[in-house]
Amino acid sequence: MAVYEQLYGAYEGVPQSALSRFLVIPRYALRDIFKSKLVTGMFLVCFVYPLIAAILVYLRHNVNAVAILQIDILELIPIDGSFFRTFMQIQGAFAFLLTVLVAPPLISRDLSNNALPLYLSRPLSRTEYVLGKGTVIAAVLSLVTWIPGLLIFFFQASLAGTGWLWRNYWIAGSIFLASAVWIVLLALIALAISAVVRWRVVASGAMLGIFFVPGAMAEIINNLFLTRYGSLVSLWATMNNVWAGLFFLFDRNSGSVQGTVTNPIYDKQLFNIILLEPPLWAAWAVVAAAGLICVWILSRRVRAYEVIK
Amino acid sequence: MSTSPTENEMQQPSLSVHGTGYHGWALWMRQTLAILQLELVKNFWGRRALLLYLIAALPVALVSMLSLLPPDADEMRELGRLSQVFAAIYGGLILRTLIFFGCAWVFMNLFRGEVVDRSLHYYFLSPVRREVLVVGKYLSGLIATIILFGSATAASMLILFYGLLPAEASAYFLSGIGARHLLTYVGVTILACIGYGAVFLIVGLFFRNPIVPALLLYGWEWLNFLLPPGLKKISVIHYLHSLVPVPLSEGPFAVLAEPTPAYLAVPSLFIFTGVIIFLAGLHIRRMEISYAGE
């Protein structure tokens, strides 16, 4: 057939609903992600702690196992809000490492290879594109955070009975909410960094730097200024406070240090400085601000075209 | 029959390119300097340098804030204790975190950045020995990090002491041991850039995704205080800690080990760096560029 006879032909198949169009992106991206042995290995490592947690729950309710292992039942860790907060902290750290491996190529490859017009020329908006890429991260991170968390929660509930479930039902909500906040924040930060730096390795490095450098900075500020407000600089420390709040374990009084002051009356006067964690609303505000900045960066960077001067 | 000068000159390039004899070294030096010049411009003025400036500015901003808003404690009023405060800032923030990440950023990008930018083949196609390229790039990274982190170390110390105790600081730096401490801290910074630079250069060359090894290295260096004395020696931080003028306690869980004396620590770092550069040179000779998947 001659070229001039090849006219435009409209798509004749059944159109996909507008709401589910963005799901095409995760469908293909998830296949690519697990082709990497490193990601698959890391993903498996993420299940080590949930397995340990499940064994701890099982041991607490299995009299025979406790007797065989000669463990004092009181020495076993209580299964309460504190147990699940620790679970969140450990799985949250693994989720971060997984994000460093999984997230950076998602947007950076499209931007560095100028592939974005190919996406956006189809019936897919910029928001749907970002939502699709975010869904990839959310899907992977959900599998290592709230899904195993809730499974362990219901495992404990099935062994401890309905009384325990009624007393602690809020923990299920806290596990989900704590994971959701962390997943959304990680996804937004990772996508924003990828959109800015455009290179996978550099984006991974920048992501590590964003968490580790302010963490060290926060520690030094806290120690030098005898405060705990420095934690607001560190996203990890801030998230820990948010999680503590969600599990009703947040206590602003985080200890005290003994200071010495030489004044005209006493040579060296000792006094206690009570270290107060920043209020919970401040932690939420930092998380919200970080998220909003990332959304703003994404709205500026994810465009089908750009003017290069 | 005598050879004319013109013929001699014509023979020189072939000698130089193959790197035999005096002319080879002269050519390599010239090429190293040329690469150094190109790379220094990238390291200082490239877009990636922005993050480096930010990292180097962090301790200076912190101590400036500390000088402006000093906490009400004796640590900020006594010279002896202030030097411990600086030792904590230096050990906890500058050495362990900022220099580590700064060097990771600069040295991993020396080759990985070129692969990402799809420009490494320009170097590989030019008549330059690849070992010369490694040395030129390594030196450029070294100069950039030494200038930035050396200045950040010196500026942080001077701002802290002069900001909080101006009268005592003058005596401390001009006639006391302050100047020696300052030079030692800058010297440790230089050694840190040399050591970490070599490690990250080879990580950037050997690994397609250098983030995981960098993370493992960070963990290894951070957990160094928990390691048995034999294993402590397989790290850069152990030798650097042995050299700092004001040693700090590493906490109740630390496994104590004798610090390595300076006459062993400094040559060890240089030998280690030499071996790494040699390995990098061997590796790059067989390196093939693949831009796919970046």
Side-chain angles (χ1 to χ4, degrees):
Chain A
M1 189 187 285
V3 173
Y4 69 87
E5 285 178 21
Q6 294 204 18
L7 300 172
Y8 171 76
Y11 177 67
E12 288 170 354
V14 182
Q16 204 165 26
S17 102
L19 284 174
S20 61
R21 270 175 208 156
F22 73 91
L23 291 175
V24 175
I25 294 173
R27 196 199 305 162
Y28 287 95
L30 283 169
R31 274 186 217 162
D32 272 355
I33 283 171
F34 288 104
K35 275 182 190 163
S36 157
K37 284 176 196 159
L38 187 67
V39 173
T40 312
M42 186 69 213
F43 186 69
L44 291 175
V45 169
C46 290
F47 291 100
V48 171
Y49 185 73
L51 192 68
I52 293 169
I55 292 170
L56 284 173
V57 169
Y58 175 74
L59 279 180
R60 215 177 157 76
H61 296 281
N62 192 310
V63 182
N64 290 338
V66 169
I68 290 165
L69 294 171
Q70 294 178 329
I71 306 167
D72 183 356
I73 194 90
L74 296 172
E75 282 177 10
L76 286 174
I77 304 159
I79 313 297
D80 53 9
S82 172
F83 176 84
F84 285 101
R85 200 261 296 251
T86 309
F87 175 88
M88 265 317 301
Q89 285 174 321
I90 293 170
Q91 289 308 101
F94 278 116
F96 167 71
L97 295 177
L98 207 54
T99 311
V100 169
L101 293 178
V102 167
L106 288 176
I107 283 191
S108 58
R109 261 187 204 162
D110 293 341
L111 285 171
S112 57
N113 294 308
N114 293 323
L116 216 52
L118 296 176
Y119 281 99
L120 300 179
S121 61
R122 286 161 173 79
L124 191 79
S125 68
R126 291 194 302 147
T127 314
E128 284 169 330
Y129 170 79
V130 173
L131 204 62
K133 295 289 182 182
T135 309
V136 180
I137 303 169
V140 176
L141 299 192
S142 294
L143 289 170
V144 300
T145 51
W146 64 269
I147 293 176
L150 286 183
L151 283 174
I152 291 167
F153 173 82
F154 287 115
F155 181 47
Q156 158 71 12
S158 69
L159 294 173
T162 38
W164 185 90
L165 184 62
W166 279 118
R167 279 195 308 278
N168 297 290
Y169 67 91
W170 57 270
I171 291 177
S174 298
I175 292 170
F176 180 75
L177 203 58
S179 306
V181 174
W182 186 227
I183 288 170
V184 170
L185 186 68
L186 281 179
L188 284 174
I189 290 174
L191 293 179
I193 290 175
S194 313
V196 171
V197 296
R198 293 172 173 225
W199 294 297
R200 184 175 61 97
V201 175
V202 182
S204 305
M207 184 127 184
L208 284 181
I210 276 184
F211 278 86
F212 284 109
V213 174
M217 188 82 177
E219 202 59 41
I220 292 285
I221 290 174
N222 284 342
N223 288 328
L224 285 180
F225 290 91
L226 304 176
T227 178
R228 284 286 169 270
Y229 276 78
S231 306
L232 290 176
V233 180
S234 158
L235 278 173
W236 176 251
T238 306
M239 269 314 295
N240 267 308
N241 281 349
V242 168
W243 287 335
L246 286 170
F247 286 98
F248 299 105
L249 295 166
F250 182 71
D251 184 8
R252 282 199 70 192
N253 188 344
S254 63
S256 62
V257 287
Q258 201 169 55
T260 54
V261 163
T262 307
N263 59 36
I265 304 168
Y266 299 104
D267 182 27
K268 276 193 189 297
Q269 192 180 13
L270 294 170
F271 64 102
N272 270 335
I273 301 168
I274 295 166
L275 299 173
L276 289 179
E277 288 287 339
L280 213 47
W281 65 262
W284 279 101
V286 168
V287 171
L292 285 174
I293 291 170
C294 293
V295 170
W296 178 74
I297 291 172
L298 284 168
S299 72
R300 300 264 307 169
R301 288 286 176 160
V302 179
R303 288 175 189 272
Y305 63 91
E306 62 179 331
V307 178
I308 298 167
K309 289 178 185 170
Chain B
M1 190 181 151
S2 65
T3 322
S4 67
T6 326
E7 280 174 337
N8 264 338
E9 277 170 20
M10 284 172 75
Q11 281 170 3
Q12 275 179 9
S14 66
L15 277 173
S16 304
V17 170
H18 290 102
T20 52
Y22 173 77
H23 294 293
W25 281 103
L27 178 72
W28 295 342
M29 286 293 285
R30 251 197 352 263
Q31 287 178 332
T32 307
L33 286 175
I35 293 167
L36 188 65
Q37 214 174 342
L38 277 173
E39 292 295 316
L40 276 178
V41 174
K42 279 190 209 167
N43 285 338
F44 279 110
W45 302 110
R47 271 195 306 167
R48 285 182 198 144
L50 269 177
L51 193 73
L52 198 64
Y53 287 122
L54 195 72
I55 291 175
L58 276 177
V60 181
L62 181 75
V63 292
S64 305
M65 206 165 73
L66 196 65
S67 307
L68 291 173
L69 308 161
D72 189 19
D74 278 353
E75 280 85 355
M76 304 296 153
R77 283 188 282 269
E78 289 173 18
L79 199 67
R81 294 174 82 173
L82 196 60
S83 60
Q84 284 187 334
V85 169
F86 182 74
I89 296 174
Y90 184 77
L93 185 70
I94 300 177
L95 191 60
R96 276 182 188 267
T97 306
L98 301 182
I99 295 180
F100 184 90
F101 277 103
C103 286
W105 185 255
V106 172
F107 288 92
M108 277 185 190
N109 274 328
L110 289 179
F111 283 96
R112 195 49 47 194
E114 297 273 1
V115 174
V116 165
D117 290 345
R118 297 172 187 209
S119 56
L120 188 59
H121 62 282
Y122 295 122
Y123 272 127
F124 278 14
L125 288 173
S126 57
V128 180
R129 283 187 78 100
R130 292 191 179 182
E131 294 89 333
V132 172
L133 184 63
V134 170
V135 173
K137 276 184 166 280
Y138 175 72
L139 287 178
S140 75
L142 201 58
I143 291 171
T145 48
I146 285 174
I147 288 176
L148 281 174
F149 292 116
S151 324
T153 305
S156 305
M157 193 174 180
L158 292 173
I159 291 170
L160 184 73
F161 281 81
Y162 276 99
L164 289 170
L165 305 165
E168 292 95 325
S170 293
Y172 178 62
F173 283 110
L174 298 176
S175 50
I177 52 164
R180 208 177 71 199
H181 279 194
L182 178 70
L183 288 176
T184 312
Y185 278 122
V186 174
V188 174
T189 301
I190 292 170
L191 287 174
C193 294
I194 291 172
Y196 285 132
V199 172
F200 288 119
L201 175 79
I202 205 142
V203 166
L205 267 174
F206 271 90
F207 296 91
R208 219 171 134 245
N209 186 355
I211 296 306
V212 178
L215 207 64
L216 291 175
L217 266 173
Y218 188 65
W220 181 260
E221 297 282 292
W222 256 106
L223 295 177
N224 187 266
F225 69 100
L226 291 175
L227 298 176
L231 285 178
K232 271 184 201 287
K233 290 188 165 56
I234 316 171
S235 68
V236 177
I237 200 80
H238 169 74
Y239 298 99
L240 300 174
H241 263 184
S242 307
L243 297 171
V244 286
V246 183
L248 282 178
S249 158
E250 290 186 296
F253 301 111
V255 177
L256 297 176
E258 276 293 309
T260 309
Y263 65 87
L264 283 178
V266 178
S268 301
L269 269 171
F270 279 113
I271 291 169
F272 168 75
T273 305
V275 171
I276 294 279
I277 302 285
F278 175 73
L279 286 176
L282 282 184
H283 178 76
I284 203 168
R285 289 185 77 163
R286 293 188 302 272
M287 187 175 169
E288 287 179 16
I289 305 171
S290 166
Y291 292 143
E294 290 297 333

